[in-house]
Amino acid sequence: MDPAAYENYMRGRVHQQRFMPADLHRGLRYYESAIEIQPDYAAAQAGMALIGGSITVLGMLPPSESGPRWLRSAQRAVELGPELGEAH
């Protein structure tokens, strides 16, 4: 585990939990940074999928626009970490 990837992941989680539009976007950026550092980071992929679902439910993007991206993140999370609960 790369410490910088983990730090970005944890920052992403903090913003994800605030559940406000600006924080969700900020959380996505942190998750993306974690994945750039460590491409096989299943938890960061799962976090991206969870935020994507939130963005869709909140009406920030239509499902036709947001769905494919978040589905890819969710599938990648399961592929990388089949034992990871949040990936499922």
Side-chain angles (χ1 to χ4, degrees):
M1 171 70 55
D2 185 292
Y6 180 73
E7 181 175 339
N8 279 302
Y9 167 74
M10 292 305 295
R11 290 177 186 268
R13 290 211 32 135
V14 166
H15 289 286
Q16 176 185 347
Q17 298 301 318
R18 291 183 180 154
F19 210 66
M20 299 296 292
D23 283 300
L24 292 173
H25 287 294
R26 190 169 293 127
L28 272 178
R29 287 194 301 273
Y30 279 117
Y31 287 143
E32 288 168 347
S33 294
I35 292 166
E36 285 177 17
I37 296 166
Q38 187 173 333
D40 63 345
Y41 202 165
Q45 290 284 355
M48 286 186 61
L50 290 168
I51 286 181
S54 297
I55 285 173
T56 304
V57 168
L58 292 172
M60 294 167 60
L61 285 175
S64 61
E65 193 175 320
S66 62
R69 179 178 180 194
W70 313 126
L71 179 59
R72 282 191 303 276
S73 291
Q75 290 170 332
R76 183 74 172 136
V78 171
E79 176 186 308
L80 291 170
E83 75 292 343
L84 185 65
E86 66 183 341
H88 294 274

